[in-house]
Amino acid sequence: LRTEQVLGFAALRAESAGELAAELRTRGIRYLLYTWRKPNETPSDVYYDKKLKAYLGEDFRAGAPVPGFEHVATLALPPELRRDPVQVYRVLPERGD
């Protein structure tokens, strides 16, 4: 992969799942992966959650339907990691495409 093919949420302007789908389409990004992030337990955690826009991943955590996206895979991690699985979503084309 080239570095411009992988972006963190902080590199995006989106503030919601709906905005996220539209922005990813505009940028030509076709997939979104949710990976585990530790819960916010300290003021520092909260700061970085906002700065990195990690909160945008919460809608994708469970692999449930998210408007503008199609859930395509759940990738289990080794049980000893005790982490949520990785969720893979495809960005759906705009309606009418």
Side-chain angles (χ1 to χ4, degrees), residues 32 34 60 63 70-76 85-90:
L32 179 145
Y34 164 84
F60 303 93
E70 173 188 24
H71 183 254
V72 295
T74 298
L75 307 174
V86 174
Q87 302 294 347
V88 181
Y89 286 82
R90 182 175 72 86

Side-chain angles (χ1 to χ4, degrees), residues 14 28-29 40 50 59 65-66 73 76 80 91:
I29 297 171
N40 293 335
K50 288 179 184 174
D59 289 341
V66 178
E80 59 271 16
V91 180

Side-chain angles (χ1 to χ4, degrees), residues 40-60:
N40 293 335
E41 297 171 348
T42 68
S44 179
D45 292 340
V46 173
Y47 170 82
Y48 282 104
D49 186 77
K50 288 179 184 174
K51 181 175 177 68
L52 300 174
K53 293 187 170 183
Y55 56 85
L56 285 174
E58 289 306 308
D59 289 341
F60 303 93

